[in-house]
Amino acid sequence: MYLGKVIGRIEARIRLPGLETQRLVLLEPLDFNQQPIRWTILAVDVTGASEGALVVYEEGREAANPFDPPLAVDACIVAIVDDYQYQA
Amino acid sequence: MFIAMVKGTVTATKKHPSMAGARLLIVQPIDAMSGQPNGFPQIAADVLGAAKGMRVLVVSDGRGVQDMLKTDHHCPLRLGIMALIDPPAGGR
């Protein structure tokens, strides 16, 4: 899993079935010095993270797991970071 | 699976329910032979109590992590620490 920062939300009226109620956010992938490391991605948020929040997110097939039936998503926020310690 | 060095910890109270029993550790993948870093640090779930500076074996598939956490297929995690690698004979 990776570190990211929520930098915005997406409003989209027309969505695939199952996505209607999901919260879609813009996520900035970060390294552990909180520097952006690649392009901004769009993720489903099940934790209710607010804008500017540091989060842990998962990218890949596992990101669709929390949903029944599984949704067509490949990035999902799994946790809101309270704090982290990192020493390169 | 890959070998990594534990470089830090992440604390998060608000998280997916399947993560309740696990700690979140920052792991730096290292080359098995040379021990040099290769790739970016990532976050892995841990139930073995790995400490900073330890070398660990990380699995990068959700099924493995689900078994490790004894949780079901709703778990969204992909990286999990499967073993603590013993330090070389000389110790650290």
Side-chain angles (χ1 to χ4, degrees):
Chain A
M1 289 76 76
Y2 307 100
L3 186 67
K5 177 181 278 190
V6 175
I7 57 171
R9 286 192 53 183
I10 301 287
E11 293 310 327
R13 279 185 305 104
I14 298 171
R15 303 181 184 196
L16 284 172
L19 274 171
E20 299 89 348
T21 57
Q22 297 301 341
R23 191 164 173 268
L24 299 175
V25 295
L26 271 173
L27 203 55
E28 176 102 275
L30 299 177
D31 64 20
F32 291 95
N33 302 311
Q34 297 195 26
Q35 296 307 312
I37 44 177
R38 60 185 169 88
W39 56 88
T40 302
I41 66 170
L42 191 137
V44 176
D45 174 24
V46 294
T47 61
S50 55
E51 196 152 328
L54 273 183
V55 293
V56 175
Y57 70 94
E58 173 48 47
E59 234 179 338
R61 182 179 52 79
E62 283 79 7
N65 286 350
F67 309 99
D68 268 333
L71 297 183
V73 296
D74 67 3
C76 173
I77 291 177
V78 301
I80 301 175
V81 174
D82 301 333
D83 183 22
Y84 71 92
Q85 288 85 31
Y86 171 69
Q87 220 177 348
Chain B
M1 292 186 294
F2 58 87
I3 292 178
M5 171 88 70
V6 178
K7 289 288 186 183
T9 58
V10 175
T11 50
T13 30
K14 189 113 179 24
K15 55 196 170 191
H16 190 271
S18 66
M19 299 164 64
R23 291 165 61 229
L24 293 175
L25 296 181
I26 302 170
V27 292
Q28 167 61 58
I30 56 174
D31 174 68
M33 303 313 288
S34 68
Q36 291 306 313
N38 73 342
F40 294 99
Q42 296 168 51
I43 298 168
D46 170 51
V47 293
L48 298 174
K52 207 182 293 187
M54 275 189 178
R55 287 177 308 155
V56 292
L57 190 59
V58 183
V59 66
S60 50
D61 173 67
R63 290 303 304 279
V65 180
Q66 287 161 27
D67 298 341
M68 177 180 121
L69 297 181
K70 300 183 179 61
T71 179
D72 62 18
H73 63 282
H74 290 120
C75 174
L77 301 187
R78 189 170 55 81
L79 291 185
I81 292 176
M82 302 307 281
L84 308 185
I85 296 176
D86 301 333
R92 189 160 294 276

